[in-house]
Amino acid sequence: TMKILHLIYDHINNPWVGGGGAVRCYELNKRLVKMGHKVTVLTGYYPNAQNYREGDLEFYFVGSGKSYTLSVFSYTYEAIKFLKKYGKNFDLIVEDFAPWNPVFSFLFHNKLVLQVHQKEGVEIIKRYNLAGLPFYLIEKFYPKIFKNIIAVSEISLKKFRIKGVVIPNGIDENIIQENVLLGDYIGFIGRIDIYHKGLDIMLQAIKDIDVKLKIAGKGKDEKKLKEMIRFHNLDQKVEFLGFLYGEDKIKFIKNSLFMIMPSRYEAQGIVALESAAVGKPVIVSNIPELSYVTENGFGLSFQKESYTDLRDKIIYLLKRPELILQLGKNGINYAKKLTWDNLSYQYEKYLTDLIRDDK
């Protein structure tokens, strides 16, 4: 039995983030507990968050819930305090890396794993100008301190210029469909972060197309997104559904024609995997991290940030229902290889080998 401390700011119910890293953390740790291990997850506080446990999987929320910014930075401070006090009680520490809240776990333990997702690079400077410089530098140098690294893709390792093992994101095998159906709208589901997820590009792209777009998700830009929909006179065409989870989320993807992921940067994109599992093609921006969608034949890509190219790809697919069905079938075949159950065995083996290794 291993006693593991997992440090990650994000949590699946966090109204500000609730992204793929949080889903991964929950799905893998839930399975580690079933294998007989004990996992404590230290995560960022948000309004009304309460500590809870599911058997030997415990969630502790630390920091301030007054605002997203305060929550992120106070999490770092509180996590370091927690590590000082309790770090040695654990056999192993897993730190999920984000440049906004490095918790310097290497100062408190010698059995450590850093999990890396996406590298934002110059996007940080583009977004925050000079204020982004410290985070740009943290992202550049911090991961290089760690010896044991898990990445969600080879591309992430290359971009960070580090060595590590790849354990990708996955899907729950229960959602894999056998039959593909044509829906009646195009969909986006994910964090409502306009810049990161390229939602501005998507709204521009659908302006002149006769199609219904449904957007699901939560995040800090919800109000701004609604204003944008009004500004572009898209109230009749675009429907914002808010946050969907579990069965509702899968039903939303399943009933679509296809999904859109217009991200400016991304890690691996669990939504693309979930779409594949239910037989739905995805139109993705042509960033390297999402190239597996076209390589495995379950979607199309468009030139990142080009709303005209995205518009062309949407029209192209809308005119070809037989292609939508074929891409959907390809997606199902791909998703069968990437279930959380299979990935959790790889994850557990990596962690147990690390504890046994006394070097």
Side-chain angles (χ1 to χ4, degrees):
T1 299
M2 291 186 284
K3 273 184 82 179
I4 300 162
L5 174 63
H6 193 134
L7 301 152
I8 178 170
Y9 168 75
D10 198 7
H11 181 271
I12 47 176
N13 295 327
N14 187 315
W16 294 306
V17 201
V23 173
R24 176 188 176 88
C25 166
Y26 178 68
E27 295 293 348
L28 290 176
N29 287 324
K30 185 170 75 172
R31 286 164 174 81
L32 282 185
V33 165
K34 277 186 187 163
M35 293 175 196
H37 306 293
K38 292 182 175 177
V39 184
T40 300
V41 180
L42 193 72
T43 187
Y45 186 80
Y46 55 83
N48 306 316
Q50 287 186 325
N51 298 338
Y52 69 98
R53 64 187 302 157
E54 295 178 13
D56 282 329
L57 175 57
E58 292 184 88
F59 285 86
Y60 284 105
F61 296 88
V62 297
S64 163
K66 284 184 179 165
S67 72
Y68 175 50
T69 307
L70 206 55
S71 174
V72 167
F73 295 130
S74 61
Y75 169 74
T76 310
Y77 175 73
E78 292 295 338
I80 290 168
K81 259 174 46 180
F82 186 94
L83 278 167
K84 259 186 195 168
K85 201 169 178 183
Y86 303 110
K88 291 281 185 276
N89 299 348
F90 297 90
D91 301 317
L92 176 79
I93 292 174
V94 177
E95 179 184 342
D96 261 55
F97 175 65
W100 327 109
N101 41 33
V103 296
F104 306 97
S105 53
F106 55 86
L107 297 173
F108 308 99
H109 212 284
N110 60 353
K111 294 286 180 189
L112 292 166
V113 178
L114 189 74
Q115 280 202 118
V116 297
H117 299 268
Q118 77 234 15
K119 187 177 184 197
E120 296 184 30
V122 290
E123 294 291 352
I124 295 174
I125 306 292
K126 277 189 203 169
R127 200 169 180 179
Y128 301 109
N129 302 315
L130 209 54
L133 187 61
F135 308 107
Y136 172 80
L137 294 170
I138 288 166
E139 188 185 61
K140 194 174 169 69
F141 297 110
Y142 188 84
K144 292 180 170 64
I145 297 165
F146 290 78
K147 192 175 73 170
N148 308 306
I149 289 171
I150 295 173
V152 295
S153 70
E154 284 291 347
I155 290 157
S156 287
L157 289 175
K158 269 185 201 154
K159 282 197 166 181
F160 278 104
R161 296 186 177 179
I162 48 177
K163 289 191 170 119
V165 302
V166 174
I167 300 175
N169 288 324
I171 42 101
D172 192 321
E173 64 185 15
N174 299 326
I175 72 167
I176 298 173
Q177 303 293 307
E178 287 307 321
N179 301 315
V180 184
L181 302 166
L182 282 173
D184 59 356
Y185 56 85
I186 57 177
F188 167 90
I189 189 164
R191 190 183 313 154
I192 306 302
D193 180 324
I194 290 167
Y195 184 82
H196 175 183
K197 298 295 183 181
L199 302 182
D200 50 332
I201 300 159
M202 182 171 67
L203 292 182
Q204 284 268 39
I206 63 131
K207 265 166 72 172
D208 306 319
I209 306 172
D210 183 19
V211 70
K212 180 91 177 159
L213 168 67
K214 293 190 181 185
I215 298 174
K218 62 179 177 183
K220 61 185 181 61
D221 288 344
E222 285 177 44
K223 195 171 162 229
K224 211 165 151 191
L225 177 70
K226 288 172 188 168
E227 284 166 5
M228 264 182 143
I229 291 166
R230 276 197 300 274
F231 176 77
H232 289 299
N233 296 317
L234 294 169
D235 302 70
Q236 301 305 307
K237 198 182 274 192
V238 180
E239 191 181 346
F240 179 58
L241 304 174
F243 181 57
L244 297 178
Y245 189 66
E247 267 182 53
D248 291 334
K249 178 186 185 182
I250 299 309
K251 208 182 282 180
F252 169 75
I253 300 171
K254 203 162 79 174
N255 291 334
S256 71
L257 275 160
F258 51 86
M259 301 295 288
I260 303 180
M261 290 181 72
S263 310
R264 284 179 167 90
Y265 51 93
E266 201 57 75
Q268 188 197 7
I270 287 177
V271 168
L273 300 176
E274 289 169 333
S275 301
V278 299
K280 293 295 155 178
V282 197
I283 299 181
V284 296
S285 54
N286 65 346
I287 55 174
E289 290 84 348
L290 294 176
S291 60
Y292 72 93
V293 170
T294 50
E295 283 162 11
N296 292 285
F298 65 95
L300 306 176
S301 72
F302 73 96
Q303 181 62 45
K304 173 187 156 184
E305 300 214 39
S306 169
Y307 74 88
T308 53
D309 195 25
L310 175 56
R311 183 182 62 208
D312 293 347
K313 295 294 167 28
I314 292 170
I315 293 167
Y316 182 83
L317 259 195
L318 287 173
K319 286 179 177 170
R320 291 167 176 79
E322 70 297 334
L323 179 60
I324 292 174
L325 294 171
Q326 185 52 57
L327 294 172
K329 283 172 190 161
N330 297 347
I332 290 169
N333 292 331
Y334 175 72
K336 284 175 179 170
K337 302 173 211 158
L338 284 176
T339 65
W340 285 122
D341 284 350
N342 290 340
L343 296 167
S344 64
Y345 290 116
Q346 290 177 42
Y347 188 63
E348 194 228 17
K349 185 181 184 308
Y350 181 81
L351 299 184
T352 46
D353 287 353
L354 193 63
I355 282 180
R356 285 195 202 107
D357 178 15
D358 286 320
K359 278 182 270 178

